[in-house]
Amino acid sequence: MRVSIWVYYEDIMRARKKPIEVIALQYTKDNQNELLELLKTNKDEPVRCSKDVIYIQKDRGEIALYLGNWVIYESYTDKCFWSIDPDIFLKTYDKVAGRENIYSKRVYEVDCIEFKSLDDNDIHAVLDFLHILTTDELLSSIKQQGYILIETLEGLEKLYLSEILIKGVEGEYYPVKRENFDKVYDLV
């Protein structure tokens, strides 16, 4: 069994978040029904509720909106709803004065990497960025599936070719479609 322990520093990029405005609501017991109705307006992403967790089905996997999390809607990018941990939300968003439920992303920098191809070196680079040891079995599985499973704070999501993997402000990882990355980030 071959194991990778290389860190591909040349593949790691630094990106700066743009100050884009979003609609944001915090999920509370009092607004669960209202939030469910809002989420159901996106017919491409079915939702279901299980006690205090709302699940949103994405093309890359199902994400969880936990009680206390914030849900954001970015009309500037994919026009989808996303769940954000409350501590991370408070560190990365500011309320826009005089506008109900409108927040602006703070400008901050993150490390990221592009999933360029299914070549061994490109897979190794992403897995090393995640601090995952690469085995022959894992490499073969990724090549067969065509994606890398990413453990995010909201659940397992798929990172597809040409997409960007972000390491967030709390060390959390999340995949971003390239077209959304280009709208929300500038390379430093």
Side-chain angles (χ1 to χ4, degrees):
M1 172 175 55
R2 182 179 62 215
V3 176
S4 169
I5 55 172
W6 302 103
V7 178
Y8 291 77
Y9 293 107
E10 68 274 3
D11 293 318
I12 297 174
M13 302 177 292
R14 193 85 176 144
R16 182 178 300 120
K17 196 86 149 180
K18 296 176 185 176
I20 295 168
E21 290 184 358
V22 300
I23 297 169
L25 298 164
Q26 189 169 26
Y27 175 28
T28 66
K29 286 189 180 207
D30 294 336
N31 71 359
Q32 183 182 58
N33 290 335
E34 174 189 347
L35 202 50
L36 275 169
E37 290 307 311
L38 176 65
L39 294 171
K40 287 178 183 177
T41 62
N42 184 345
K43 302 294 184 205
D44 294 330
E45 296 184 339
V47 296
R48 65 183 177 88
C49 190
S50 174
K51 198 170 180 172
D52 293 335
V53 181
I54 297 173
Y55 296 94
I56 306 169
Q57 184 62 50
K58 303 279 189 182
D59 59 355
R60 66 174 68 249
E62 186 176 66
I63 65 169
L65 173 61
Y66 299 104
L67 194 61
N69 275 19
W70 286 79
V71 63
I72 66 165
Y73 175 80
E74 293 181 339
S75 61
Y76 187 72
T77 59
D78 56 12
K79 296 177 179 36
C80 293
F81 295 100
W82 295 96
S83 175
I84 299 180
D85 174 271
D87 293 332
I88 293 171
F89 182 84
L90 294 174
K91 287 181 181 180
T92 58
Y93 288 84
D94 291 314
K95 176 83 174 93
V96 175
R99 298 186 63 201
E100 188 175 356
N101 300 324
I102 303 296
Y103 290 78
S104 178
K105 291 183 181 189
R106 291 184 186 149
V107 175
Y108 58 91
E109 292 183 7
V110 294
D111 288 331
C112 55
I113 191 167
E114 181 180 2
F115 185 19
K116 296 177 185 173
S117 77
L118 291 173
D119 291 341
D120 288 3
N121 287 341
D122 290 333
I123 295 171
H124 281 289
V126 173
L127 294 176
D128 285 349
F129 183 70
L130 288 163
H131 305 288
I132 295 174
L133 294 177
T134 307
T135 64
D136 288 337
E137 292 80 16
L138 180 57
L139 200 60
S140 176
S141 174
I142 291 168
K143 286 181 176 188
Q144 182 180 14
Q145 295 171 357
Y147 60 82
I148 298 174
L149 272 180
I150 307 299
E151 189 171 333
T152 73
L153 294 177
E154 295 78 27
L156 289 175
E157 294 186 53
K158 297 171 185 167
L159 175 70
Y160 293 104
L161 291 175
S162 81
E163 294 186 339
I164 308 296
L165 180 63
I166 307 280
K167 183 177 182 182
V169 296
E170 290 293 318
E172 77 282 6
Y173 294 97
Y174 54 95
V176 177
K177 292 179 182 177
R178 184 63 198 222
E179 59 269 18
N180 290 339
F181 178 84
D182 292 340
K183 292 176 183 176
V184 177
Y185 293 90
D186 286 318
L187 290 176
V188 177

